[in-house]
């Protein structure tokens, strides 16, 4: 009598079958249905709770970092009541648009891997990098490009007043 346990053998046909199922699940996950299980989780926009912070693109950016399309400014802000914004994490103001018509996208600096904060790109258009384990995010919109992080940077709704040059960031 043979008491040894035999491990199930998965032949190539079954292996291919399971592979296709997993690939299919991955496709669904990237579409958001199973986003929490996915390594390609799409960005989420911060649910607004009524707070806001004001960023004067002239006075609050004396080095003119946001004058250059593709640049990003990583900064700590307080809200209009003087309270910490984004739970004390910095925000990242991504300069988009054109030289004459600025647009901005605002994301949190918090990397979801182990809560480190991304740093500004070394040059305009380069990726945002988390210094702890080198996850990378798009400097266009904070989309996750390289793990180990599993989610894009959380995005804040914002509005730019081209007359006052003030960017309002909603929290
Ligand atoms: S905390 Fe960002 S990659 Fe680990």
């Amino acid at each position: 009598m043979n008491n040894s346990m035999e491990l199930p053998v998965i032949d190539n046909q079954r292996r291919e079958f399971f592979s296709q199922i997993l690939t299919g699940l991955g496709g669904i996950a990237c579409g958001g249905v199973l986003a929490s299980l996915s390594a390609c989780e799409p960005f989420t926009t911060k649910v607004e709770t009524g707070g806001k912070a004001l960023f004067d693109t002239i006075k609050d950016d004396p080095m003119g970092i946001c004058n250059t399309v593709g640049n990003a400014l990583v900064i700590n802000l307080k809200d209009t009541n003087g309270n910490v914004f984004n739970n004390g994490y910095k925000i990242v103001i991504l300069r988009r648009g054109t030289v004459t018509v600025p647009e901005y996208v605002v994301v949190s600096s918090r990397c979801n891997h182990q809560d480190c904060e991304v740093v500004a790109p070394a040059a305009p258009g380069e990726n945002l990098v988390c210094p702890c384990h080198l996850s990378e995010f798009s400097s266009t919109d904070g989309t996750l490009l390289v793990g180990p992080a599993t989610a894009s940077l959380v995005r804040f709704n914002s509005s730019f007043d081209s007359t006052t040059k003030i960017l309002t960031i909603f929290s």
Side-chain angles (χ1 to χ4, degrees):
M1 184 176 166
N2 182 0
N3 288 328
S4 65
M5 283 186 47
E6 287 189 19
L7 293 173
V9 176
I10 300 179
D11 59 35
N12 283 341
Q13 205 172 359
R14 285 184 187 167
R15 202 185 308 276
E16 176 68 14
F17 174 72
F18 287 124
S19 168
Q20 284 178 359
I21 288 178
L22 289 174
T23 302
L25 283 176
I28 293 169
C30 288
V33 177
L34 297 175
S36 61
L37 301 176
S38 171
C40 49
E41 188 169 337
F43 72 83
T44 52
T45 301
K46 170 80 171 60
V47 177
E48 291 181 29
T49 56
K52 64 183 177 183
L54 303 178
F55 176 78
D56 187 321
T57 58
I58 307 294
K59 292 180 186 162
D60 298 332
D61 182 16
M63 304 287 286
I65 292 172
C66 286
N67 289 344
T68 303
V69 177
N71 261 354
L73 182 64
V74 183
I75 188 172
N76 246 320
L77 282 185
K78 292 198 170 178
D79 68 16
T80 50
N81 293 319
N83 299 317
V84 293
F85 193 80
N86 195 24
N87 295 319
Y89 289 98
K90 298 182 185 78
I91 59 163
V92 187
I93 299 173
L94 306 170
R95 171 64 156 85
R96 297 176 56 180
T98 65
V99 173
T100 53
V101 184
E103 294 173 6
Y104 300 91
V105 171
V106 182
V107 296
S108 171
S109 67
R110 177 183 168 271
C111 169
N112 91 322
H113 179 230
Q114 289 181 9
D115 295 337
C116 291
E117 294 181 286
V118 298
V119 296
E126 289 190 4
N127 295 339
L128 301 165
V129 177
C130 178
C132 291
H133 311 98
L134 304 181
S135 287
E136 293 186 34
F137 305 86
S138 162
S139 61
T140 299
D141 58 8
T143 297
L144 174 65
L145 301 174
V146 178
T150 57
S152 301
L153 301 174
V154 171
R155 190 182 298 189
F156 289 89
N157 285 325
S158 62
S159 166
F160 179 62
D161 185 325
S162 59
T163 304
T164 63
K165 309 294 184 199
I166 288 181
L167 178 67
T168 302
I169 304 154
F170 302 96
S171 68

